[in-house]
Amino acid sequence: MESPPRLSNRRALSRALTRASRASVADCLAAVASSPHDPATRIGITGPPGAGKSTLIARLAATRLEARARMAVLAIDPTSPISRGSILGDRIRMDTVAEHPGLYIRSIPSRNAHDGLADNICEMLMVLDKHGFDEVILETVGVGQADYEIRNLVDTVVLVLVPESGDAVQAMKAGILETADIYVVNKCDCAGAEQMLHDIRSVVDYRHVEPGEWRPPVLSASITDDSIAELDEAINAHSLWRDDHNDADLHRRARLRYHVESLMSRRVAELFDEARSDLLQRPIREVYAELARKLGEVL
């Protein structure tokens, strides 16, 4: 088993992630052109704000590190559209495992992303792959319905809910709620937990599952019990199922499409920033044609 990353490597990794998070589209494309590395197994953790995702991740990471040498956690915090700042407090909530020698935790701002992820998230995941992590846990902002984009970047999606998430469940029915691989009702010692479990199981039962397809389990969790072992086992079971049933080429193409679309979106934002101040005084067709022309230019 490979030894955990040394402190010097952690500093190098931190610097590499910072460069990747701030890279221009041209720099991102140059990085992609370098030699690819085998991707780590990726677990996506999503759910509404206040669901206890960070605390659950800390417990899950501690459990899964027993069988793995190196694990990384990327926790995305929302960026304020006004101040452009982010609290980046996930490391504080994961303090119980933050000093584990095989665990690397990084809180990152969402910046301009609107899908629960972050600008240049693909590039940051590539950095982690280059540094040889066995597994990566990716925590989304937790905005609800838009979080289904995480499906394109991870191997297993875990949706975390709490008993008071009733309204959030209604908002998510057309999004992440229908694409999660595992459901976890967290804080199940609170009032309303049984009703929430019943509601989620009803959603799962309503979906048609073909023979051989993955049937998402609905789990309960509490900080006072050992339910994290059940979640760990469910993730392992889904990973084994994927080995036999996943269309690797389809998944690769979905990741590539997401990556290209995110780069194009960021490039459009760059072009707006670079444009003359009178650009938006012109007719919309001219603005569109100008941006499309510049998008076609080789970086």
mmCIF file of all heavy atoms in Angstrom, residues 135-187:
data_model
loop_
_atom_site.group_PDB
_atom_site.id
_atom_site.type_symbol
_atom_site.label_atom_id
_atom_site.label_comp_id
_atom_site.label_asym_id
_atom_site.label_seq_id
_atom_site.Cartn_x
_atom_site.Cartn_y
_atom_site.Cartn_z
ATOM 1 N N GLU A 135 -9.053 7.736 -3.975
ATOM 2 C CA GLU A 135 -10.475 8.076 -3.994
ATOM 3 C C GLU A 135 -10.637 9.568 -3.723
ATOM 4 O O GLU A 135 -9.869 10.169 -2.965
ATOM 5 C CB GLU A 135 -11.225 7.266 -2.938
ATOM 6 C CG GLU A 135 -12.727 7.243 -3.095
ATOM 7 C CD GLU A 135 -13.358 6.109 -2.294
ATOM 8 O OE1 GLU A 135 -13.631 6.339 -1.100
ATOM 9 O OE2 GLU A 135 -13.564 5.018 -2.854
ATOM 10 N N VAL A 136 -11.646 10.162 -4.357
ATOM 11 C CA VAL A 136 -11.949 11.572 -4.161
ATOM 12 C C VAL A 136 -13.420 11.707 -3.803
ATOM 13 O O VAL A 136 -14.285 11.122 -4.465
ATOM 14 C CB VAL A 136 -11.653 12.395 -5.435
ATOM 15 C CG1 VAL A 136 -12.121 13.848 -5.254
ATOM 16 C CG2 VAL A 136 -10.179 12.347 -5.780
ATOM 17 N N ILE A 137 -13.695 12.451 -2.744
ATOM 18 C CA ILE A 137 -15.067 12.792 -2.383
ATOM 19 C C ILE A 137 -15.296 14.240 -2.793
ATOM 20 O O ILE A 137 -14.545 15.133 -2.406
ATOM 21 C CB ILE A 137 -15.324 12.619 -0.876
ATOM 22 C CG1 ILE A 137 -15.164 11.142 -0.485
ATOM 23 C CG2 ILE A 137 -16.707 13.120 -0.502
ATOM 24 C CD1 ILE A 137 -15.377 10.877 1.002
ATOM 25 N N LEU A 138 -16.322 14.459 -3.585
ATOM 26 C CA LEU A 138 -16.653 15.788 -4.080
ATOM 27 C C LEU A 138 -17.981 16.227 -3.479
ATOM 28 O O LEU A 138 -19.012 15.613 -3.728
ATOM 29 C CB LEU A 138 -16.730 15.776 -5.606
ATOM 30 C CG LEU A 138 -17.111 17.080 -6.305
ATOM 31 C CD1 LEU A 138 -16.100 18.182 -5.994
ATOM 32 C CD2 LEU A 138 -17.212 16.857 -7.817
ATOM 33 N N GLU A 139 -17.949 17.276 -2.671
ATOM 34 C CA GLU A 139 -19.163 17.796 -2.043
ATOM 35 C C GLU A 139 -19.649 19.025 -2.799
ATOM 36 O O GLU A 139 -18.909 20.001 -2.964
ATOM 37 C CB GLU A 139 -18.904 18.171 -0.584
ATOM 38 C CG GLU A 139 -20.137 18.764 0.107
ATOM 39 C CD GLU A 139 -19.839 19.361 1.467
ATOM 40 O OE1 GLU A 139 -18.686 19.244 1.930
ATOM 41 O OE2 GLU A 139 -20.753 19.958 2.056
ATOM 42 N N THR A 140 -20.893 19.011 -3.252
ATOM 43 C CA THR A 140 -21.425 20.144 -3.993
ATOM 44 C C THR A 140 -21.895 21.240 -3.045
ATOM 45 O O THR A 140 -22.003 21.054 -1.836
ATOM 46 C CB THR A 140 -22.622 19.726 -4.866
ATOM 47 O OG1 THR A 140 -23.760 19.481 -4.033
ATOM 48 C CG2 THR A 140 -22.307 18.483 -5.677
ATOM 49 N N VAL A 141 -22.204 22.385 -3.645
ATOM 50 C CA VAL A 141 -22.743 23.503 -2.874
ATOM 51 C C VAL A 141 -24.023 23.095 -2.162
ATOM 52 O O VAL A 141 -24.271 23.481 -1.028
ATOM 53 C CB VAL A 141 -23.003 24.708 -3.814
ATOM 54 C CG1 VAL A 141 -23.857 25.754 -3.121
ATOM 55 C CG2 VAL A 141 -21.674 25.320 -4.248
ATOM 56 N N GLY A 142 -24.850 22.310 -2.829
ATOM 57 C CA GLY A 142 -26.121 21.908 -2.234
ATOM 58 C C GLY A 142 -27.242 22.837 -2.596
ATOM 59 O O GLY A 142 -28.022 23.268 -1.749
ATOM 60 N N VAL A 143 -27.340 23.167 -3.896
ATOM 61 C CA VAL A 143 -28.377 24.099 -4.320
ATOM 62 C C VAL A 143 -29.659 23.394 -4.738
ATOM 63 O O VAL A 143 -30.648 24.041 -5.044
ATOM 64 C CB VAL A 143 -27.878 24.976 -5.487
ATOM 65 C CG1 VAL A 143 -26.739 25.857 -5.041
ATOM 66 C CG2 VAL A 143 -27.447 24.124 -6.672
ATOM 67 N N GLY A 144 -29.642 22.072 -4.781
ATOM 68 C CA GLY A 144 -30.876 21.345 -5.058
ATOM 69 C C GLY A 144 -30.974 20.825 -6.465
ATOM 70 O O GLY A 144 -30.183 19.993 -6.901
ATOM 71 N N GLN A 145 -31.941 21.324 -7.228
ATOM 72 C CA GLN A 145 -32.289 20.739 -8.510
ATOM 73 C C GLN A 145 -31.140 20.773 -9.515
ATOM 74 O O GLN A 145 -30.982 19.867 -10.321
ATOM 75 C CB GLN A 145 -33.490 21.490 -9.097
ATOM 76 C CG GLN A 145 -34.104 20.799 -10.308
ATOM 77 C CD GLN A 145 -35.424 21.425 -10.686
ATOM 78 O OE1 GLN A 145 -36.015 22.157 -9.914
ATOM 79 N NE2 GLN A 145 -35.887 21.131 -11.871
ATOM 80 N N ALA A 146 -30.298 21.813 -9.469
ATOM 81 C CA ALA A 146 -29.227 21.945 -10.454
ATOM 82 C C ALA A 146 -28.059 21.015 -10.191
ATOM 83 O O ALA A 146 -27.185 20.859 -11.035
ATOM 84 C CB ALA A 146 -28.734 23.393 -10.493
ATOM 85 N N ASP A 147 -28.035 20.392 -9.012
ATOM 86 C CA ASP A 147 -26.879 19.583 -8.635
ATOM 87 C C ASP A 147 -26.737 18.292 -9.430
ATOM 88 O O ASP A 147 -25.776 17.556 -9.222
ATOM 89 C CB ASP A 147 -26.947 19.232 -7.147
ATOM 90 C CG ASP A 147 -26.382 20.342 -6.276
ATOM 91 O OD1 ASP A 147 -26.457 21.499 -6.712
ATOM 92 O OD2 ASP A 147 -25.890 20.060 -5.183
ATOM 93 N N TYR A 148 -27.668 17.999 -10.340
ATOM 94 C CA TYR A 148 -27.576 16.741 -11.070
ATOM 95 C C TYR A 148 -26.365 16.710 -11.997
ATOM 96 O O TYR A 148 -25.960 15.640 -12.452
ATOM 97 C CB TYR A 148 -28.849 16.470 -11.871
ATOM 98 C CG TYR A 148 -29.153 17.486 -12.939
ATOM 99 C CD1 TYR A 148 -28.544 17.416 -14.187
ATOM 100 C CD2 TYR A 148 -30.057 18.512 -12.728
ATOM 101 C CE1 TYR A 148 -28.810 18.334 -15.173
ATOM 102 C CE2 TYR A 148 -30.342 19.437 -13.697
ATOM 103 C CZ TYR A 148 -29.715 19.353 -14.917
ATOM 104 O OH TYR A 148 -29.979 20.278 -15.897
ATOM 105 N N GLU A 149 -25.725 17.856 -12.285
ATOM 106 C CA GLU A 149 -24.542 17.862 -13.140
ATOM 107 C C GLU A 149 -23.401 17.057 -12.531
ATOM 108 O O GLU A 149 -22.509 16.602 -13.248
ATOM 109 C CB GLU A 149 -24.083 19.296 -13.405
ATOM 110 C CG GLU A 149 -25.010 20.105 -14.300
ATOM 111 C CD GLU A 149 -24.987 19.648 -15.753
ATOM 112 O OE1 GLU A 149 -24.295 18.645 -16.057
ATOM 113 O OE2 GLU A 149 -25.652 20.276 -16.578
ATOM 114 N N ILE A 150 -23.421 16.881 -11.226
ATOM 115 C CA ILE A 150 -22.352 16.110 -10.594
ATOM 116 C C ILE A 150 -22.319 14.676 -11.120
ATOM 117 O O ILE A 150 -21.284 14.015 -11.097
ATOM 118 C CB ILE A 150 -22.498 16.117 -9.053
ATOM 119 C CG1 ILE A 150 -21.196 15.631 -8.401
ATOM 120 C CG2 ILE A 150 -23.702 15.294 -8.610
ATOM 121 C CD1 ILE A 150 -21.213 15.716 -6.890
ATOM 122 N N ARG A 151 -23.442 14.217 -11.638
ATOM 123 C CA ARG A 151 -23.524 12.869 -12.209
ATOM 124 C C ARG A 151 -22.455 12.661 -13.276
ATOM 125 O O ARG A 151 -21.937 11.551 -13.446
ATOM 126 C CB ARG A 151 -24.931 12.678 -12.779
ATOM 127 C CG ARG A 151 -25.096 11.591 -13.830
ATOM 128 C CD ARG A 151 -24.795 10.220 -13.300
ATOM 129 N NE ARG A 151 -25.663 9.860 -12.202
ATOM 130 C CZ ARG A 151 -25.422 8.861 -11.361
ATOM 131 N NH1 ARG A 151 -24.317 8.152 -11.496
ATOM 132 N NH2 ARG A 151 -26.257 8.576 -10.389
ATOM 133 N N ASN A 152 -22.108 13.719 -14.012
ATOM 134 C CA ASN A 152 -21.145 13.594 -15.100
ATOM 135 C C ASN A 152 -19.701 13.477 -14.628
ATOM 136 O O ASN A 152 -18.830 13.102 -15.416
ATOM 137 C CB ASN A 152 -21.259 14.805 -16.039
ATOM 138 C CG ASN A 152 -22.604 14.871 -16.726
ATOM 139 O OD1 ASN A 152 -23.109 13.861 -17.198
ATOM 140 N ND2 ASN A 152 -23.189 16.052 -16.784
ATOM 141 N N LEU A 153 -19.438 13.804 -13.362
ATOM 142 C CA LEU A 153 -18.057 13.862 -12.892
ATOM 143 C C LEU A 153 -17.680 12.775 -11.910
ATOM 144 O O LEU A 153 -16.501 12.567 -11.652
ATOM 145 C CB LEU A 153 -17.795 15.232 -12.237
ATOM 146 C CG LEU A 153 -17.860 16.448 -13.147
ATOM 147 C CD1 LEU A 153 -17.520 17.709 -12.363
ATOM 148 C CD2 LEU A 153 -16.916 16.293 -14.333
ATOM 149 N N VAL A 154 -18.658 12.090 -11.332
ATOM 150 C CA VAL A 154 -18.357 11.111 -10.288
ATOM 151 C C VAL A 154 -18.877 9.730 -10.684
ATOM 152 O O VAL A 154 -19.628 9.577 -11.642
ATOM 153 C CB VAL A 154 -18.963 11.545 -8.930
ATOM 154 C CG1 VAL A 154 -18.439 12.917 -8.521
ATOM 155 C CG2 VAL A 154 -20.487 11.538 -8.981
ATOM 156 N N ASP A 155 -18.473 8.746 -9.893
ATOM 157 C CA ASP A 155 -18.895 7.371 -10.143
ATOM 158 C C ASP A 155 -20.130 6.993 -9.332
ATOM 159 O O ASP A 155 -20.927 6.164 -9.764
ATOM 160 C CB ASP A 155 -17.741 6.418 -9.803
ATOM 161 C CG ASP A 155 -16.489 6.740 -10.599
ATOM 162 O OD1 ASP A 155 -16.558 6.703 -11.842
ATOM 163 O OD2 ASP A 155 -15.451 7.052 -9.982
ATOM 164 N N THR A 156 -20.267 7.576 -8.155
ATOM 165 C CA THR A 156 -21.403 7.290 -7.277
ATOM 166 C C THR A 156 -21.922 8.599 -6.698
ATOM 167 O O THR A 156 -21.136 9.411 -6.199
ATOM 168 C CB THR A 156 -20.995 6.359 -6.119
ATOM 169 O OG1 THR A 156 -20.518 5.114 -6.651
ATOM 170 C CG2 THR A 156 -22.164 6.092 -5.181
ATOM 171 N N VAL A 157 -23.229 8.816 -6.794
ATOM 172 C CA VAL A 157 -23.853 10.025 -6.251
ATOM 173 C C VAL A 157 -24.633 9.666 -4.993
ATOM 174 O O VAL A 157 -25.531 8.820 -5.033
ATOM 175 C CB VAL A 157 -24.802 10.684 -7.270
ATOM 176 C CG1 VAL A 157 -25.489 11.906 -6.653
ATOM 177 C CG2 VAL A 157 -24.039 11.087 -8.522
ATOM 178 N N VAL A 158 -24.286 10.324 -3.888
ATOM 179 C CA VAL A 158 -24.993 10.134 -2.620
ATOM 180 C C VAL A 158 -25.773 11.406 -2.321
ATOM 181 O O VAL A 158 -25.185 12.494 -2.240
ATOM 182 C CB VAL A 158 -24.013 9.843 -1.467
ATOM 183 C CG1 VAL A 158 -24.770 9.686 -0.153
ATOM 184 C CG2 VAL A 158 -23.182 8.594 -1.768
ATOM 185 N N LEU A 159 -27.079 11.272 -2.182
ATOM 186 C CA LEU A 159 -27.930 12.415 -1.863
ATOM 187 C C LEU A 159 -28.270 12.389 -0.383
ATOM 188 O O LEU A 159 -28.833 11.407 0.115
ATOM 189 C CB LEU A 159 -29.217 12.376 -2.694
ATOM 190 C CG LEU A 159 -30.272 13.440 -2.368
ATOM 191 C CD1 LEU A 159 -29.709 14.842 -2.577
ATOM 192 C CD2 LEU A 159 -31.512 13.237 -3.230
ATOM 193 N N VAL A 160 -27.908 13.463 0.332
ATOM 194 C CA VAL A 160 -28.132 13.554 1.766
ATOM 195 C C VAL A 160 -29.302 14.489 2.033
ATOM 196 O O VAL A 160 -29.323 15.631 1.560
ATOM 197 C CB VAL A 160 -26.870 14.075 2.494
ATOM 198 C CG1 VAL A 160 -27.095 14.098 4.006
ATOM 199 C CG2 VAL A 160 -25.660 13.214 2.148
ATOM 200 N N LEU A 161 -30.261 13.993 2.802
ATOM 201 C CA LEU A 161 -31.440 14.780 3.172
ATOM 202 C C LEU A 161 -31.625 14.724 4.684
ATOM 203 O O LEU A 161 -31.030 13.882 5.362
ATOM 204 C CB LEU A 161 -32.690 14.233 2.470
ATOM 205 C CG LEU A 161 -32.668 14.274 0.937
ATOM 206 C CD1 LEU A 161 -33.762 13.383 0.377
ATOM 207 C CD2 LEU A 161 -32.829 15.703 0.434
ATOM 208 N N VAL A 162 -32.433 15.616 5.203
ATOM 209 C CA VAL A 162 -32.758 15.616 6.627
ATOM 210 C C VAL A 162 -34.268 15.686 6.776
ATOM 211 O O VAL A 162 -34.976 16.044 5.831
ATOM 212 C CB VAL A 162 -32.083 16.796 7.364
ATOM 213 C CG1 VAL A 162 -30.614 16.538 7.579
ATOM 214 C CG2 VAL A 162 -32.276 18.103 6.611
ATOM 215 N N PRO A 163 -34.785 15.312 7.951
ATOM 216 C CA PRO A 163 -36.241 15.274 8.134
ATOM 217 C C PRO A 163 -36.963 16.548 7.746
ATOM 218 O O PRO A 163 -38.103 16.499 7.263
ATOM 219 C CB PRO A 163 -36.386 14.993 9.636
ATOM 220 C CG PRO A 163 -35.178 14.179 9.966
ATOM 221 C CD PRO A 163 -34.078 14.767 9.128
ATOM 222 N N GLU A 164 -36.323 17.708 7.916
ATOM 223 C CA GLU A 164 -36.994 18.960 7.578
ATOM 224 C C GLU A 164 -36.798 19.372 6.127
ATOM 225 O O GLU A 164 -37.011 20.524 5.762
ATOM 226 C CB GLU A 164 -36.506 20.090 8.491
ATOM 227 C CG GLU A 164 -35.020 20.353 8.457
ATOM 228 C CD GLU A 164 -34.252 19.599 9.522
ATOM 229 O OE1 GLU A 164 -34.719 18.520 9.954
ATOM 230 O OE2 GLU A 164 -33.187 20.084 9.944
ATOM 231 N N SER A 165 -36.400 18.408 5.267
ATOM 232 C CA SER A 165 -36.137 18.718 3.859
ATOM 233 C C SER A 165 -37.369 18.582 2.978
ATOM 234 O O SER A 165 -37.230 18.486 1.761
ATOM 235 C CB SER A 165 -35.041 17.788 3.313
ATOM 236 O OG SER A 165 -33.839 17.948 4.006
ATOM 237 N N GLY A 166 -38.547 18.567 3.535
ATOM 238 C CA GLY A 166 -39.748 18.330 2.745
ATOM 239 C C GLY A 166 -39.880 19.226 1.539
ATOM 240 O O GLY A 166 -40.110 18.770 0.414
ATOM 241 N N ASP A 167 -39.741 20.534 1.726
ATOM 242 C CA ASP A 167 -39.847 21.459 0.605
ATOM 243 C C ASP A 167 -38.724 21.252 -0.395
ATOM 244 O O ASP A 167 -38.909 21.370 -1.608
ATOM 245 C CB ASP A 167 -39.825 22.913 1.112
ATOM 246 C CG ASP A 167 -41.087 23.257 1.904
ATOM 247 O OD1 ASP A 167 -42.095 22.549 1.728
ATOM 248 O OD2 ASP A 167 -41.041 24.219 2.686
ATOM 249 N N ALA A 168 -37.526 20.941 0.116
ATOM 250 C CA ALA A 168 -36.384 20.708 -0.771
ATOM 251 C C ALA A 168 -36.621 19.484 -1.647
ATOM 252 O O ALA A 168 -36.243 19.454 -2.813
ATOM 253 C CB ALA A 168 -35.108 20.535 0.045
ATOM 254 N N VAL A 169 -37.262 18.445 -1.084
ATOM 255 C CA VAL A 169 -37.561 17.247 -1.862
ATOM 256 C C VAL A 169 -38.472 17.587 -3.028
ATOM 257 O O VAL A 169 -38.275 17.138 -4.156
ATOM 258 C CB VAL A 169 -38.198 16.166 -0.966
ATOM 259 C CG1 VAL A 169 -38.744 15.036 -1.820
ATOM 260 C CG2 VAL A 169 -37.183 15.630 0.019
ATOM 261 N N GLN A 170 -39.474 18.405 -2.777
ATOM 262 C CA GLN A 170 -40.380 18.805 -3.847
ATOM 263 C C GLN A 170 -39.617 19.551 -4.941
ATOM 264 O O GLN A 170 -39.843 19.349 -6.129
ATOM 265 C CB GLN A 170 -41.493 19.704 -3.283
ATOM 266 C CG GLN A 170 -42.452 18.987 -2.350
ATOM 267 C CD GLN A 170 -43.174 17.836 -3.028
ATOM 268 O OE1 GLN A 170 -43.604 17.950 -4.178
ATOM 269 N NE2 GLN A 170 -43.321 16.728 -2.320
ATOM 270 N N ALA A 171 -38.685 20.419 -4.548
ATOM 271 C CA ALA A 171 -37.929 21.214 -5.518
ATOM 272 C C ALA A 171 -36.970 20.358 -6.330
ATOM 273 O O ALA A 171 -36.640 20.703 -7.461
ATOM 274 C CB ALA A 171 -37.153 22.319 -4.799
ATOM 275 N N MET A 172 -36.523 19.232 -5.761
ATOM 276 C CA MET A 172 -35.501 18.419 -6.418
ATOM 277 C C MET A 172 -36.052 17.271 -7.249
ATOM 278 O O MET A 172 -35.297 16.562 -7.880
ATOM 279 C CB MET A 172 -34.532 17.853 -5.371
ATOM 280 C CG MET A 172 -33.622 18.897 -4.751
ATOM 281 S SD MET A 172 -32.354 18.126 -3.721
ATOM 282 C CE MET A 172 -33.367 17.544 -2.367
ATOM 283 N N LYS A 173 -37.359 17.096 -7.265
ATOM 284 C CA LYS A 173 -37.897 15.889 -7.901
ATOM 285 C C LYS A 173 -37.516 15.760 -9.368
ATOM 286 O O LYS A 173 -37.400 14.658 -9.878
ATOM 287 C CB LYS A 173 -39.420 15.858 -7.741
ATOM 288 C CG LYS A 173 -39.847 15.311 -6.389
ATOM 289 C CD LYS A 173 -41.337 15.071 -6.317
ATOM 290 C CE LYS A 173 -41.714 14.423 -4.988
ATOM 291 N NZ LYS A 173 -43.167 14.235 -4.852
ATOM 292 N N ALA A 174 -37.331 16.884 -10.058
ATOM 293 C CA ALA A 174 -36.975 16.805 -11.475
ATOM 294 C C ALA A 174 -35.476 16.842 -11.688
ATOM 295 O O ALA A 174 -35.020 16.905 -12.809
ATOM 296 C CB ALA A 174 -37.627 17.968 -12.232
ATOM 297 N N GLY A 175 -34.696 16.803 -10.633
ATOM 298 C CA GLY A 175 -33.249 16.920 -10.779
ATOM 299 C C GLY A 175 -32.510 15.798 -10.099
ATOM 300 O O GLY A 175 -32.674 14.620 -10.425
ATOM 301 N N ILE A 176 -31.706 16.164 -9.118
ATOM 302 C CA ILE A 176 -30.812 15.204 -8.474
ATOM 303 C C ILE A 176 -31.569 14.069 -7.803
ATOM 304 O O ILE A 176 -31.071 12.948 -7.711
ATOM 305 C CB ILE A 176 -29.908 15.937 -7.448
ATOM 306 C CG1 ILE A 176 -28.892 14.988 -6.827
ATOM 307 C CG2 ILE A 176 -30.731 16.627 -6.375
ATOM 308 C CD1 ILE A 176 -27.926 14.397 -7.795
ATOM 309 N N LEU A 177 -32.792 14.312 -7.338
ATOM 310 C CA LEU A 177 -33.543 13.277 -6.636
ATOM 311 C C LEU A 177 -33.768 12.054 -7.518
ATOM 312 O O LEU A 177 -33.879 10.941 -7.028
ATOM 313 C CB LEU A 177 -34.875 13.834 -6.144
ATOM 314 C CG LEU A 177 -35.625 12.991 -5.111
ATOM 315 C CD1 LEU A 177 -34.824 12.884 -3.823
ATOM 316 C CD2 LEU A 177 -36.996 13.579 -4.822
ATOM 317 N N GLU A 178 -33.819 12.273 -8.829
ATOM 318 C CA GLU A 178 -34.078 11.165 -9.742
ATOM 319 C C GLU A 178 -32.799 10.507 -10.256
ATOM 320 O O GLU A 178 -32.880 9.519 -10.979
ATOM 321 C CB GLU A 178 -34.918 11.660 -10.923
ATOM 322 C CG GLU A 178 -36.310 12.136 -10.510
ATOM 323 C CD GLU A 178 -37.114 12.641 -11.673
ATOM 324 O OE1 GLU A 178 -36.521 12.876 -12.742
ATOM 325 O OE2 GLU A 178 -38.328 12.817 -11.519
ATOM 326 N N THR A 179 -31.652 11.052 -9.918
ATOM 327 C CA THR A 179 -30.403 10.497 -10.454
ATOM 328 C C THR A 179 -29.441 10.013 -9.381
ATOM 329 O O THR A 179 -28.359 9.529 -9.715
ATOM 330 C CB THR A 179 -29.678 11.559 -11.314
ATOM 331 O OG1 THR A 179 -29.395 12.708 -10.502
ATOM 332 C CG2 THR A 179 -30.532 11.981 -12.497
ATOM 333 N N ALA A 180 -29.805 10.121 -8.109
ATOM 334 C CA ALA A 180 -28.913 9.667 -7.038
ATOM 335 C C ALA A 180 -28.796 8.146 -7.048
ATOM 336 O O ALA A 180 -29.732 7.425 -7.397
ATOM 337 C CB ALA A 180 -29.418 10.152 -5.685
ATOM 338 N N ASP A 181 -27.629 7.652 -6.651
ATOM 339 C CA ASP A 181 -27.398 6.216 -6.540
ATOM 340 C C ASP A 181 -27.696 5.703 -5.135
ATOM 341 O O ASP A 181 -28.032 4.530 -4.960
ATOM 342 C CB ASP A 181 -25.938 5.889 -6.892
ATOM 343 C CG ASP A 181 -25.588 6.294 -8.310
ATOM 344 O OD1 ASP A 181 -26.290 5.862 -9.237
ATOM 345 O OD2 ASP A 181 -24.617 7.048 -8.483
ATOM 346 N N ILE A 182 -27.535 6.575 -4.157
ATOM 347 C CA ILE A 182 -27.765 6.218 -2.752
ATOM 348 C C ILE A 182 -28.419 7.418 -2.074
ATOM 349 O O ILE A 182 -28.000 8.560 -2.273
ATOM 350 C CB ILE A 182 -26.444 5.872 -2.031
ATOM 351 C CG1 ILE A 182 -25.744 4.690 -2.714
ATOM 352 C CG2 ILE A 182 -26.691 5.566 -0.551
ATOM 353 C CD1 ILE A 182 -24.318 4.465 -2.237
ATOM 354 N N TYR A 183 -29.445 7.150 -1.273
ATOM 355 C CA TYR A 183 -30.105 8.198 -0.505
ATOM 356 C C TYR A 183 -29.781 8.004 0.974
ATOM 357 O O TYR A 183 -29.807 6.885 1.475
ATOM 358 C CB TYR A 183 -31.619 8.152 -0.685
ATOM 359 C CG TYR A 183 -32.083 8.303 -2.118
ATOM 360 C CD1 TYR A 183 -32.228 7.188 -2.941
ATOM 361 C CD2 TYR A 183 -32.373 9.557 -2.645
ATOM 362 C CE1 TYR A 183 -32.645 7.316 -4.256
ATOM 363 C CE2 TYR A 183 -32.803 9.695 -3.959
ATOM 364 C CZ TYR A 183 -32.929 8.580 -4.752
ATOM 365 O OH TYR A 183 -33.340 8.712 -6.052
ATOM 366 N N VAL A 184 -29.491 9.113 1.643
ATOM 367 C CA VAL A 184 -29.232 9.064 3.074
ATOM 368 C C VAL A 184 -30.094 10.103 3.766
ATOM 369 O O VAL A 184 -29.990 11.300 3.468
ATOM 370 C CB VAL A 184 -27.750 9.335 3.404
ATOM 371 C CG1 VAL A 184 -27.539 9.332 4.917
ATOM 372 C CG2 VAL A 184 -26.849 8.300 2.746
ATOM 373 N N VAL A 185 -30.960 9.653 4.659
ATOM 374 C CA VAL A 185 -31.703 10.578 5.511
ATOM 375 C C VAL A 185 -30.860 10.779 6.762
ATOM 376 O O VAL A 185 -30.762 9.892 7.612
ATOM 377 C CB VAL A 185 -33.102 10.042 5.856
ATOM 378 C CG1 VAL A 185 -33.817 11.006 6.819
ATOM 379 C CG2 VAL A 185 -33.928 9.872 4.581
ATOM 380 N N ASN A 186 -30.225 11.931 6.851
ATOM 381 C CA ASN A 186 -29.317 12.232 7.946
ATOM 382 C C ASN A 186 -30.098 12.800 9.137
ATOM 383 O O ASN A 186 -31.247 13.205 9.000
ATOM 384 C CB ASN A 186 -28.264 13.241 7.477
ATOM 385 C CG ASN A 186 -27.010 13.216 8.318
ATOM 386 O OD1 ASN A 186 -26.761 12.258 9.056
ATOM 387 N ND2 ASN A 186 -26.211 14.252 8.199
ATOM 388 N N LYS A 187 -29.449 12.827 10.290
ATOM 389 C CA LYS A 187 -30.075 13.329 11.520
ATOM 390 C C LYS A 187 -31.390 12.588 11.785
ATOM 391 O O LYS A 187 -32.418 13.177 12.110
ATOM 392 C CB LYS A 187 -30.323 14.831 11.428
ATOM 393 C CG LYS A 187 -29.081 15.646 11.079
ATOM 394 C CD LYS A 187 -29.383 17.130 10.972
ATOM 395 C CE LYS A 187 -28.149 17.919 10.545
ATOM 396 N NZ LYS A 187 -28.414 19.375 10.402
#
